[in-house]
Amino acid sequence: MNLIDFAEISKGLDMLDKIKLILFASKAKPATFVKLRINPKSLGEKYQFDQVLKKEGVIFIAGRDKSYEVIRSINGNRVRWEFEGVWIGYDLFWTKKDRERFLQYSRLIGKQPKKAHLIAGRLYGYPECCIRQYVRETPEYIKKHYSCYEYYSKIQEGDQKYPYVFHQPCKVDCKATAALNKKYESVVKKKSKKIWRAFRLKSEYAMDLIIDSYSDITIDGKTIWPEKDGFDYAVITKGKIDGYYQLISFVTKRYFERGTVFRGRVLKQYHYAKIKVDRIKDVIVGLHHERKHPLIGREY
């Protein structure tokens, strides 16, 4: 078994991590980061993955086990989360030099974040124009150059237009990002048609959805957009998609009260989903999330 074989059969890697692993295995990317989830469906995969990495001569750093939760039920105004398993982050490299660059990034990120991001961007093969724009976009810069809707729609458009890259394009029509996206898709298609087809697959769902909170950027605890011209909402699906309730980003100029329930359509492809609102149905008063520690049962 090689890395691409593992990507195709793994139940602990999500689709985006499978894409990353295929690109890394093909040496289209010199380094990458993937999350391996260990739950009842993927028991034994950590040992299997470690063995394949060693066999392929990959230099890797495996992080500590971290627990994760999923939404188990939605009853009234309660969104209930439960522990499902643990995830382990893997930083993967082909050379010791790249591992040292990553360790340098890790040492600098808390002290010199701009320098650290420059190192990381080059390590992962991002276009220079995009690296520099990412470093430039501090909360102060964003406040000066974007409205709320402009900023979040830029991120969303980049995700949807370039599904095979893993950075924020400096602009939606970035030529370097477009070329990289085309190159990466070609590699994935050549190395694993199974994953390429699964990643491209389109699906549509008609269901009730719930508006949750929206994203924001603050300086000293205050929003940089006191008057918002748009919102990036987290939307909760009331029905399951791929076996789970989902949280989906929804960028819109329209204001919705938290807890608004609407009938809509979810159009899913690649690693994102588009939402279309059909009609408003209700408002859930006091919508909140309940999480319980798997050992002591403490709500927080």
Side-chain angles (χ1 to χ4, degrees), residues 3-67:
L3 289 171
I4 294 175
D5 295 330
F6 182 83
E8 290 186 338
I9 68 169
S10 174
K11 295 181 179 178
L13 294 175
D14 69 16
M15 186 56 71
L16 204 57
D17 284 326
K18 289 173 183 276
I19 296 292
K20 288 182 181 180
L21 189 58
I22 290 169
L23 291 171
F24 175 76
S26 307
K27 299 193 176 178
K29 285 182 68 65
T32 198
F33 173 80
V34 298
K35 289 181 180 179
L36 182 67
R37 291 169 176 80
I38 306 300
N39 56 49
K41 296 179 182 178
S42 59
L43 294 175
E45 281 200 11
K46 182 186 186 307
Y47 174 79
Q48 190 177 25
F49 191 37
D50 287 354
Q51 294 303 111
V52 175
L53 290 171
K54 292 173 183 176
K55 175 188 170 186
E56 296 285 304
V58 176
I59 299 168
F60 65 94
I61 300 172
R64 294 180 179 179
D65 296 4
K66 297 181 180 179
S67 64

Side-chain angles (χ1 to χ4, degrees), residues 169-185:
C170 57
K171 52 186 178 181
V172 176
D173 59 350
C174 172
K175 292 181 179 179
T177 298
L180 197 61
N181 187 74
K182 184 177 180 180
K183 173 187 173 182
Y184 284 173
E185 180 178 11

Side-chain angles (χ1 to χ4, degrees), residues 151-157 159-160 209-215 231-237 246-252 262 265-267 271-276:
Y151 179 70
Y152 287 114
S153 61
K154 176 179 86 90
I155 294 174
Q156 185 182 66
E157 286 179 45
D159 285 345
Q160 294 176 359
L209 301 119
I210 307 170
I211 295 286
D212 198 2
S213 55
Y214 56 78
S215 300
F231 302 87
D232 177 20
Y233 291 105
V235 170
I236 307 167
T237 63
Q246 304 283 339
L247 281 172
I248 302 172
S249 171
F250 176 41
V251 178
T252 177
F262 64 92
R265 284 168 289 158
V266 177
L267 293 86
H271 59 280
Y272 63 82
K274 296 180 180 180
I275 291 175
K276 293 187 177 181

Side-chain angles (χ1 to χ4, degrees), residues 186-203:
S186 177
V187 171
V188 173
K189 183 179 180 181
K190 180 180 179 181
K191 296 296 182 178
S192 176
K193 281 196 169 57
K194 178 181 178 180
I195 298 298
W196 178 74
R197 290 193 185 101
F199 193 47
R200 288 168 51 86
L201 187 66
K202 294 180 181 179
S203 52

Side-chain angles (χ1 to χ4, degrees), residues 34-297:
V34 298
K35 289 181 180 179
L36 182 67
R37 291 169 176 80
I38 306 300
N39 56 49
K41 296 179 182 178
S42 59
L43 294 175
E45 281 200 11
K46 182 186 186 307
Y47 174 79
Q48 190 177 25
F49 191 37
D50 287 354
Q51 294 303 111
V52 175
L53 290 171
K54 292 173 183 176
K55 175 188 170 186
E56 296 285 304
V58 176
I59 299 168
F60 65 94
I61 300 172
R64 294 180 179 179
D65 296 4
K66 297 181 180 179
S67 64
Y68 72 91
E69 298 171 300
V70 296
I71 297 174
R72 285 292 184 216
S73 63
I74 303 171
N75 295 313
N77 62 1
R78 300 166 59 211
V79 180
R80 190 165 183 270
W81 295 71
E82 288 185 3
F83 170 84
E84 183 178 69
V86 299
W87 65 268
I88 303 160
Y90 281 82
D91 290 286
L92 310 179
F93 318 95
W94 284 117
T95 68
K96 291 181 180 179
K97 181 180 178 181
D98 282 338
R99 180 184 62 185
E100 290 308 310
R101 291 167 71 194
F102 171 78
L103 293 174
Q104 183 185 13
Y105 155 79
S106 300
R107 290 191 294 268
L108 289 173
I109 189 62
K111 301 174 183 178
Q112 301 178 55
K114 289 186 177 181
K115 185 175 181 180
H117 287 309
L118 287 171
I119 292 169
R122 291 163 185 161
L123 171 64
Y124 295 121
Y126 302 156
E128 191 70 21
C129 53
C130 300
I131 298 170
R132 295 196 174 279
Q133 182 62 21
Y134 182 82
V135 170
R136 192 178 293 123
E137 288 190 352
T138 61
E140 291 78 10
Y141 179 95
I142 294 169
K143 178 181 180 180
K144 183 177 179 180
H145 291 86
Y146 301 101
S147 71
C148 186
Y149 182 76
E150 287 171 343
Y151 179 70
Y152 287 114
S153 61
K154 176 179 86 90
I155 294 174
Q156 185 182 66
E157 286 179 45
D159 285 345
Q160 294 176 359
K161 190 171 183 178
Y162 308 114
Y164 289 88
V165 302
F166 311 99
H167 66 274
Q168 289 183 21
C170 57
K171 52 186 178 181
V172 176
D173 59 350
C174 172
K175 292 181 179 179
T177 298
L180 197 61
N181 187 74
K182 184 177 180 180
K183 173 187 173 182
Y184 284 173
E185 180 178 11
S186 177
V187 171
V188 173
K189 183 179 180 181
K190 180 180 179 181
K191 296 296 182 178
S192 176
K193 281 196 169 57
K194 178 181 178 180
I195 298 298
W196 178 74
R197 290 193 185 101
F199 193 47
R200 288 168 51 86
L201 187 66
K202 294 180 181 179
S203 52
E204 183 172 345
Y205 307 85
M207 60 173 59
D208 288 352
L209 301 119
I210 307 170
I211 295 286
D212 198 2
S213 55
Y214 56 78
S215 300
D216 204 357
I217 296 175
T218 61
I219 298 176
D220 297 328
K222 296 181 179 180
T223 179
I224 65 172
W225 298 297
E227 295 183 7
K228 293 177 171 58
D229 64 341
F231 302 87
D232 177 20
Y233 291 105
V235 170
I236 307 167
T237 63
K238 287 198 75 176
K240 293 183 179 181
I241 297 176
D242 298 331
Y244 293 93
Y245 296 102
Q246 304 283 339
L247 281 172
I248 302 172
S249 171
F250 176 41
V251 178
T252 177
K253 289 186 175 182
R254 185 174 175 181
Y255 172 76
F256 294 93
E257 184 179 350
R258 187 182 187 195
T260 297
V261 180
F262 64 92
R263 189 68 179 175
R265 284 168 289 158
V266 177
L267 293 86
K268 184 173 176 289
Q269 188 185 26
Y270 300 116
H271 59 280
Y272 63 82
K274 296 180 180 180
I275 291 175
K276 293 187 177 181
V277 179
D278 289 336
R279 68 182 189 280
I280 304 298
K281 295 183 66 176
D282 196 7
V283 176
I284 299 172
V285 178
L287 179 72
H288 65 283
H289 296 259
E290 293 183 359
R291 291 177 164 89
K292 291 190 176 182
H293 191 283
L295 297 179
I296 62 175

